Amino acid sequence: VALVEDFLKLNLDGTVFTNEYLQTSDPAIYAIGDLVSIPFNHSDSSLYIPLVTNAYRTGIVAATNLLANERGTTKIPFPKMQRTVVSKLFGYFVSSSGINETEAPYYGFEVDSVTQKFHSRTFFATDEDFEVTLKLIFDQQTKVIMGGQIITSDRGSLEIINTISTLINSKTTLHQLATMDYFFNPTISFPLHFLNQLALDGLLK
């Protein structure tokens, strides 16, 4: 940032100002990665969230728009993000996407949540090595899903956080999620996916 602070506009947090196409105050210059703030799904303003995934995505958007300038094609805006992250601690995967209950009031939201722990993938067997705890955070009035968290010992179940990120981005409600179409095979799953069950539990609160 110090290299450009004398001739490019900066944000109050010290990042380089960009428009939705990642152009700076000089439209011939684009900024990406940890130099910029990112539009956050539950805020009217952008936030400084230096994640590798954001660096990749800003790079893709900026490169696409640079090519669009040369080819005369349509530019694409940088989408809002949910801040989807994961860590591994003491043999467990801990992951989250969207906002949590503690920070929701700071964004002006009244939220509720539902949590459930699962020890089996199927009707027929309990896997002693399998455990996944899922939590959904949703708006009290509209039931729109605003966040989710996972703690699991199973690497495969960690992909659920990507599904939750998509649900947040799509502004999916608990009513929609409760009947959302997921596969069923009696030897490897329940008729209701974990997320279907969580949504039903949330609607009963």
Side-chain angles (χ1 to χ4, degrees), residues 54-70:
N54 289 335
Y56 269 95
R57 294 191 305 139
T58 53
I60 291 169
V61 169
T64 300
N65 291 336
L66 282 165
L67 289 173
N69 286 340
E70 291 192 9

Side-chain angles (χ1 to χ4, degrees), residues 29-169:
I29 301 175
Y30 289 71
I32 63 172
D34 291 356
L35 295 181
V36 302
S37 294
I38 300 296
F40 188 52
N41 228 328
H42 300 107
S43 174
D44 293 330
S45 60
S46 295
L47 303 177
Y48 182 60
I49 307 175
L51 298 174
V52 171
T53 50
N54 289 335
Y56 269 95
R57 294 191 305 139
T58 53
I60 291 169
V61 169
T64 300
N65 291 336
L66 282 165
L67 289 173
N69 286 340
E70 291 192 9
R71 297 174 178 175
T73 55
T74 302
K75 294 191 292 186
I76 60 172
F78 189 82
K80 289 192 172 186
M81 53 83 69
Q82 286 76 248
R83 190 188 55 202
T84 304
V85 296
V86 62
S87 298
K88 188 175 182 181
L89 300 169
F90 308 110
Y92 281 86
F93 298 98
V94 181
S95 186
S96 69
S97 185
I99 62 175
N100 58 48
E101 291 167 292
T102 301
E103 64 189 357
Y106 292 99
Y107 295 107
F109 297 110
E110 294 184 1
V111 299
D112 205 342
S113 69
V114 60
T115 304
Q116 189 169 156
K117 184 178 292 187
F118 301 90
H119 291 284
S120 178
R121 297 182 181 88
T122 75
F123 279 129
F124 304 112
T126 298
D127 186 346
E128 293 183 358
D129 295 326
F130 176 81
E131 181 180 301
V132 57
T133 301
L134 298 176
K135 182 176 191 177
L136 285 180
I137 296 96
F138 53 90
D139 185 273
Q140 287 183 0
Q141 299 300 319
T142 65
K143 308 302 181 186
V144 170
I145 297 166
M146 306 189 73
Q149 299 165 18
I150 296 177
I151 299 176
T152 182
S153 58
D154 178 62
R155 170 62 182 83
S157 296
L158 195 60
E159 292 301 321
I160 295 174
I161 201 65
N162 289 328
T163 301
I164 291 175
S165 177
T166 301
L167 296 173
I168 297 168
N169 190 62

Side-chain angles (χ1 to χ4, degrees), residues 7-23:
F7 59 91
L8 291 182
K9 180 181 177 182
L10 302 184
N11 295 313
L12 291 176
D13 62 2
T15 58
V16 176
F17 168 83
T18 60
N19 64 13
E20 60 182 334
Y21 303 110
L22 298 177
Q23 290 171 292

